[in-house]
Amino acid sequence: MMKTNITAFFCGLLFGVGLSLSHMINPEKVLNFLDVAGRWDPSLLFVMLGALPVAMLSFRAILKRPGPMLAESFQLSSKISIDAMLVLGAALFGIGWGMSGYCPGPAVTGLGLYSFESVVMVGFILLGFVVFDKLFGRSR
């Protein structure tokens, strides 16, 4: 258990450093990236395009293993279709990202910077978890 927690901590730290170095924790930069008809800033596109091949190759290599190193089994979704819940969740995610300039990773990273906006965003993310659980339970 301790090894898992230490590994999770360092993975989160590495993720946070990566978000910081790429300026993805700066809501203004993110909002400018999303503003394709105005002050569009394409620099985050290069960050995303750089991450895509790394993720694809890593997932391919990792999933060839018989199991994860720190868990009993891989936790992969069995859903293979697009349904209304997926579309609704994606829409809510996009609306929240567009309104705040934060997606969940940078919002949590922003907590370390004592950002009031991050506190609000993470609070609403947690509220969303509670509301979803109350409406749909843990069966989904």
Side-chain angles (χ1 to χ4, degrees):
M1 183 66 160
M2 183 65 144
K3 183 178 179 182
T4 302
N5 290 339
I6 291 171
T7 302
F9 173 79
F10 282 108
C11 287
L13 185 65
L14 179 63
F15 182 65
V17 168
L19 290 173
S20 297
L21 289 174
S22 65
H23 298 275
M24 290 186 83
I25 62 170
N26 180 351
E28 186 176 313
K29 188 160 191 72
V30 173
L31 291 172
N32 286 341
F33 169 71
L34 295 173
D35 186 10
V36 293
R39 297 175 33 201
W40 187 54
D41 178 357
S43 61
L44 294 184
L45 180 63
F46 297 112
V47 172
M48 293 177 196
L49 290 175
L52 191 60
V54 172
M56 289 173 60
L57 293 171
S58 298
F59 270 95
R60 184 172 291 231
I62 290 168
L63 292 177
K64 285 183 181 177
R65 299 177 49 87
M69 295 187 319
L70 300 173
E72 291 183 27
S73 63
F74 290 111
Q75 302 291 316
L76 302 172
S77 175
S78 60
K79 291 179 77 171
I80 58 171
S81 62
I82 297 173
D83 62 6
M85 294 300 289
L86 177 64
V87 173
L88 177 62
L92 288 172
F93 176 89
I95 290 167
W97 191 26
M99 286 175 60
S100 68
Y102 281 118
C103 67
V108 171
T109 302
L111 292 175
L113 302 173
Y114 305 110
S115 164
F116 175 74
E117 292 86 1
S118 290
V119 171
V120 172
M121 183 66 177
V122 171
F124 275 102
I125 290 169
L126 295 174
L127 177 63
F129 291 161
V130 171
V131 169
F132 181 88
D133 190 46
K134 294 291 183 202
L135 292 176
F136 302 103
R138 299 215 180 259
S139 62
R140 292 199 61 80

